[in-house]
Amino acid sequence: MIKMDTINSNDNPKEAAVTVKNAFKRYSDSNVVLNGLNMTVKEGTIYGLLGPSGCGKTTLLHCILGKNELDGGMIKVKAKTNADIGYMPQEISLYNELTIEETLTFYGRLFGLSDREIEKRTDELLVFLDLPSKTRLVGGLSGGQCRRVSFAVALVHNPQLLILDEPTVGVDPVLCVSIWDKLLLMVQMENKTVIVTTHYIEETRRAHTIGLMRNGKLLAENSPTELMTLYNSSTLEDVFLQLCERQHSTSAVNQSNNNQEIRGRFNSMSKNKSQVPLKQTPSCSWNIIFALLTKNYYWMKRNSTIILYVFLVPFVDCMIYSMCIGNDPTELKLAVVNEEFPGISNCDSLQLDGCNFSIPFSCRYIKKLQQKTYEMVEYYDIDSGKNAVKKNKAWGLVHFPKNYTASMNERITLREKADDASLTFSEVQIWLDMSNQYIGNLLRRDTLKECFEYLRELFSECEWPPHLAELPIKIEDAVYGSNNPKFRHSTSSSVISLFHFHLPMLFTAGAVLMEKMSGSLSRSLISGVTMLEIAISLIIIQFVILCIQCTTMVLTLFVLYDNPLLVGNLLWIAILLLSTGVSAFFYGFLVAVMSNSHITATYICVGSTFGFFTMCGVLWPLEGMHWILKPFSYILPITRCAEAFRALSVKDYPLSNPIVYQGFFSSILWSCFFVSITTIILKKNKGLGNN
């Protein structure tokens, strides 16, 4: 093991503000971040923690703050809660949509300050840090100004311990000097304790104590002057170079022993990890929730385009769905081969009513099909007509035999005495293109229906019993819905449930992930905010958005367009849709927790939505699914909800009906499941990971 060169000054009797003893932290067997580190930060001093990028400085700070947990060792902090510490991360980690005043107000409320105290501290910090107008948006500030605002956030609650992670990275020398001037002034005037990490060694000459860190170890800890004297160097860089060379030469000899010792220490400490040094804040504070709601209000106010999109998307989606789905196709082309009366246009000159058997029945039939908006294209033989269907010039071929009318006359008048030839030539032959099942079935339905329709009219005009021209089946009025429903009538319940799940999921995942990736969420958590408070604030906002979206979708689908009207209890319908949205919120929260990038979250959201879309009954009834997939489709988050919505809105089933209450139970159970998985992941990752 390398012997740490540590020189402790006994001239300063100040109490330790932070003590780290034998700290160990690893992310894997090969990634040891802290390796037996010892550090003492005296109260009322500036401690400069120096080292190259990746040496473990930020990890050490996160362990002091309680964001990460040591695998072994001990951290003792004089500060007892997050409110006693001011933290400035390396990234800006601020909300670009807030002004300077709103930013300081937000963090001030997180730390429990009153509005009067926040206003006073804001005015003081504006002068102290030479900040621009407090009405300026953070997103419109320069890099140096953003650094100073971030510094102001760390100071707004006037903490006794300041932890600044690389505060001078990327700033100009003038600002760097200014930051150090402010630090020294606060230490001298207010007896504050400051820990500053940096990899710019020479700038820490003004610190009272510096710790030189490399490969998870503290190589030396003392005042800059004493270190340069001890190692006979004129610069701190030379001191650090000597220490690095000594560590390298020692580790080369004892590398194998070090690995075994590290492994042994971690194994012995894995069952006895150190406790988080800071006391945890209450799990839920309404003051913090109010601060989060206010922050989210300003964010939405300054992102009006996004909010407009959120409110318009349900209307546009429902409108597009209603306009594109479920309407019967029109102007479909049908090939016609009429051997008894060539020339479709010639039928227009005939009187096609009355009991007149001299008028071709084929013209009556063609006229009926034309009234259904079919476009009849005439061909002169069956082969050319079939060829038109094969070449996609027509969706079907209708063939009338040469003596069709005469044969139909004999079939009707002679009935059972009609010969086989009359029966054969009284038939209309139809060939259909069934590559599109919906269009093919539509053509089959209309050709049969219009045939019976023209025969019914003929029988009525000839004063024959019209029912003889009908099938011996009578379809009564539908119990629910219409006898001639449109496709979207049966799928509207699934569509609205799908929209109510998809939109809140996207909004929640995007909002949480945006803050997570920018670092602002992590900064809020370190400031004492809990995930429960974040969830509650988002639920409140999402509830308002859901109410507006729900109203928009219901009005669009069931009032603006001719979907089945709501006949059930509107209150239970609204509660069902809102419960679906709540479960979607928790799913979006889970997606954000699991994802480390917007791309990953997008893949998860789009992939799951596609799966729900194909398996929830929108495209095809659940009864027609493969027996392997059917059980999975029934337990999806929106399947039972869609069935319950249909039962409530179209059938007016009571809440006691199994279809209805299973929909509510499904939303509740899925919400509990998503919350449980999210909680497990957060506990395993000690929060949101390293972001």
Side-chain angles (χ1 to χ4, degrees):
M1 290 288 293
I2 300 172
K3 183 178 180 180
M4 185 184 303
D5 293 314
T6 305
I7 302 174
N8 295 316
S9 174
N10 296 322
D11 298 334
N12 191 351
K14 292 183 178 181
E15 184 181 353
V18 178
T19 303
V20 182
K21 291 185 178 180
N22 203 27
F24 284 86
K25 178 67 179 178
R26 66 173 178 179
Y27 295 118
S28 66
D29 291 339
S30 60
N31 187 11
V32 179
V33 185
L34 301 178
N35 185 5
L37 184 140
N38 294 280
M39 185 178 77
T40 301
V41 180
K42 294 295 183 65
E43 190 176 14
T45 63
I46 298 178
Y47 189 101
L49 185 59
L50 311 178
S53 298
C55 70
K57 300 189 301 296
T58 300
T59 298
L60 176 60
L61 297 188
H62 286 174
C63 291
I64 294 174
L65 291 164
K67 181 182 178 183
N68 290 348
E69 186 177 297
L70 292 177
D71 292 309
M74 180 271 291
I75 296 177
K76 182 179 180 181
V77 183
K78 186 177 181 180
K80 300 304 180 184
T81 65
N82 300 81
D84 299 323
I85 299 177
Y87 173 60
M88 178 180 175
Q90 181 177 345
E91 301 81 9
I92 299 299
S93 301
L94 298 175
Y95 298 97
N96 292 330
E97 293 78 12
L98 301 186
T99 64
I100 296 176
E101 181 181 26
E102 292 163 353
T103 299
L104 295 178
T105 300
F106 169 65
Y107 284 99
R109 287 173 176 169
L110 295 187
F111 291 114
L113 301 182
S114 66
D115 289 344
R116 179 174 295 180
E117 290 173 324
I118 294 172
E119 183 178 359
K120 180 181 177 181
R121 286 294 293 168
T122 298
D123 293 337
E124 292 173 351
L125 291 171
L126 287 172
V127 176
F128 182 64
L129 297 176
D130 191 24
L131 293 172
S133 172
K134 60 183 179 181
T135 59
R136 290 276 301 276
L137 290 176
V138 172
L141 301 178
S142 66
Q145 290 172 331
C146 287
R147 284 280 173 189
R148 279 180 280 165
V149 174
S150 182
F151 193 11
V153 168
L155 296 173
V156 68
H157 55 299
N158 199 22
Q160 283 303 112
L161 174 61
L162 277 174
I163 298 179
L164 312 178
D165 190 5
E166 304 275 7
T168 58
V169 169
V171 302
D172 60 82
V174 176
L175 180 58
C176 178
V177 172
S178 175
I179 290 176
W180 278 96
D181 288 340
K182 307 299 184 187
L183 295 177
L184 288 169
L185 182 61
M186 288 187 296
V187 170
Q188 293 171 3
M189 301 297 294
E190 304 176 40
N191 196 38
K192 294 188 182 297
T193 305
V194 181
I195 301 176
V196 179
T197 69
T198 181
H199 56 268
Y200 302 137
I201 297 177
E202 290 302 321
E203 76 176 23
T204 57
R205 281 178 177 267
R206 305 175 70 181
H208 299 92
T209 305
I210 62 173
L212 300 174
M213 187 175 178
R214 184 171 181 266
N215 294 338
K217 288 179 175 290
L218 206 60
L219 305 180
E221 182 183 68
N222 212 317
S223 69
T225 303
E226 292 182 0
L227 280 175
M228 288 187 291
T229 301
L230 178 63
Y231 289 96
N232 193 26
S233 300
S234 59
T235 64
L236 290 174
E237 290 185 352
D238 289 339
V239 174
F240 189 62
L241 180 60
Q242 291 184 45
L243 291 169
C244 291
E245 290 175 348
R246 183 179 299 183
Q247 184 192 42
H248 181 72
S249 61
T250 306
S251 61
V253 176
N254 299 322
Q255 183 64 43
S256 60
N257 293 332
N258 286 345
N259 292 338
Q260 293 179 2
E261 185 175 349
I262 291 171
R263 213 174 288 117
R265 287 186 181 184
F266 279 125
N267 290 336
S268 64
M269 295 174 182
S270 60
K271 297 180 181 179
N272 187 28
K273 295 184 177 181
S274 66
Q275 300 298 314
V276 176
L278 297 176
K279 291 182 180 179
Q280 298 301 298
T281 56
S283 59
C284 186
S285 168
W286 289 108
N287 289 331
I288 292 180
I289 293 174
F290 177 74
L292 292 170
L293 288 173
T294 305
K295 179 262 296 181
N296 291 332
Y297 165 75
Y298 286 127
W299 184 91
M300 291 188 293
K301 179 181 178 181
R302 306 240 163 78
N303 288 274
S304 55
T305 302
I306 296 178
I307 300 304
L308 184 63
Y309 173 82
V310 169
F311 289 143
L312 280 181
V313 160
F315 169 73
V316 174
D317 284 349
C318 291
M319 184 177 65
I320 292 176
Y321 165 76
S322 298
M323 294 175 65
C324 298
I325 305 297
N327 296 311
D328 288 341
T330 59
E331 299 180 1
L332 297 177
K333 292 184 178 181
L334 275 177
V336 177
V337 176
N338 192 349
E339 295 183 358
E340 75 162 354
F341 195 74
I344 296 177
S345 59
N346 295 330
C347 293
D348 296 335
S349 60
L350 301 177
Q351 185 68 29
L352 299 178
D353 56 5
C355 186
N356 187 350
F357 284 82
S358 63
I359 299 175
F361 288 176
S362 59
C363 287
R364 286 177 177 256
Y365 193 4
I366 290 173
K367 187 67 174 179
K368 286 291 183 182
L369 292 176
Q370 287 176 328
Q371 291 175 354
K372 297 292 291 186
T373 73
Y374 290 114
E375 182 179 346
M376 316 302 288
V377 182
E378 188 171 15
Y379 292 86
Y380 295 97
D381 57 71
I382 294 177
D383 290 338
S384 60
K386 285 184 177 180
N387 192 44
V389 176
K390 291 179 179 179
K391 291 185 177 182
N392 203 33
K393 295 181 179 180
W395 283 97
L397 167 64
V398 180
H399 171 243
F400 296 95
K402 185 175 183 179
N403 49 353
Y404 170 70
T405 301
S407 299
M408 179 63 74
N409 185 13
E410 292 183 10
R411 183 169 187 157
I412 294 173
T413 55
L414 299 179
R415 300 180 184 177
E416 68 274 4
K417 296 181 180 180
D419 56 23
D420 291 341
S422 297
L423 296 176
T424 299
F425 290 110
S426 63
E427 293 178 349
V428 178
Q429 294 177 296
I430 299 176
W431 291 267
L432 297 177
D433 177 0
M434 295 298 294
S435 59
N436 186 309
Q437 187 180 24
Y438 183 81
I439 292 180
N441 288 333
L442 177 69
L443 288 170
R444 180 185 296 171
R445 181 199 72 183
D446 286 348
T447 51
L448 288 174
K449 179 182 177 181
E450 298 311 317
C451 180
F452 287 116
E453 184 65 25
Y454 99 78
L455 288 176
R456 191 182 301 113
E457 291 180 0
L458 178 65
F459 275 49
S460 176
E461 291 165 356
C462 292
E463 297 182 353
W464 298 336
H467 65 272
L468 294 179
E470 298 178 354
L471 287 174
I473 297 175
K474 183 179 181 182
I475 305 297
E476 302 289 352
D477 292 338
V479 178
Y480 297 109
S482 168
N483 279 4
N484 296 299
K486 295 182 179 181
F487 177 76
R488 69 166 178 267
H489 292 174
S490 62
T491 60
S492 57
S493 59
S494 299
V495 167
I496 195 171
S497 299
L498 181 66
F499 286 168
H500 247 75
F501 191 89
H502 179 69
L503 296 175
M505 171 188 65
L506 283 182
F507 181 82
T508 304
V512 176
L513 196 60
M514 180 177 60
E515 293 195 23
K516 179 182 175 182
M517 298 303 296
S518 68
S520 53
L521 180 57
S522 178
R523 187 167 193 170
S524 297
L525 294 173
I526 291 176
S527 300
V529 181
T530 64
M531 294 302 296
L532 177 60
E533 291 162 341
I534 293 173
I536 291 175
S537 66
L538 286 175
I539 286 176
I540 294 174
I541 293 174
Q542 192 61 260
F543 180 80
V544 175
I545 295 175
L546 273 174
C547 289
I548 298 175
Q549 290 179 332
C550 178
T551 304
T552 301
M553 285 189 280
V554 169
L555 290 176
T556 305
L557 284 175
F558 302 104
V559 177
L560 185 60
Y561 290 94
D562 60 339
N563 291 289
L565 292 176
L566 300 174
V567 296
N569 190 307
L570 290 177
L571 177 62
W572 286 119
I573 291 173
I575 294 175
L576 177 65
L577 291 177
L578 290 175
S579 67
T580 304
V582 170
S583 65
F585 163 82
F586 288 119
Y587 180 61
F589 206 92
L590 174 61
V591 170
V593 169
M594 293 190 302
S595 305
N596 289 321
S597 68
H598 290 284
I599 295 177
T600 303
T602 301
Y603 284 157
I604 295 175
C605 292
V606 173
S608 57
T609 301
F610 180 78
F612 297 156
F613 180 76
T614 55
M615 295 179 63
C616 74
V618 175
L619 295 178
W620 201 252
L622 301 177
E623 293 78 6
M625 291 186 181
H626 194 279
W627 64 270
I628 294 179
L629 293 179
K630 191 179 294 185
F632 294 100
S633 65
Y634 276 111
I635 64 173
L636 289 176
I638 62 173
T639 303
R640 295 287 186 184
C641 297
E643 293 294 320
F645 180 85
R646 182 183 294 111
L648 281 171
S649 64
V650 179
K651 301 181 180 181
D652 196 18
Y653 280 3
L655 188 62
S656 59
N657 188 281
I659 297 178
V660 177
Y661 66 69
Q662 285 175 8
F664 287 95
F665 284 159
S666 176
S667 295
I668 295 172
L669 291 175
W670 274 108
S671 295
C672 294
F673 174 76
F674 293 142
V675 170
S676 300
I677 298 300
T678 303
T679 304
I680 292 172
I681 294 176
L682 289 174
K683 288 183 177 180
K684 181 179 179 181
N685 295 338
K686 306 300 179 185
L688 291 174
N690 297 324
N691 293 315

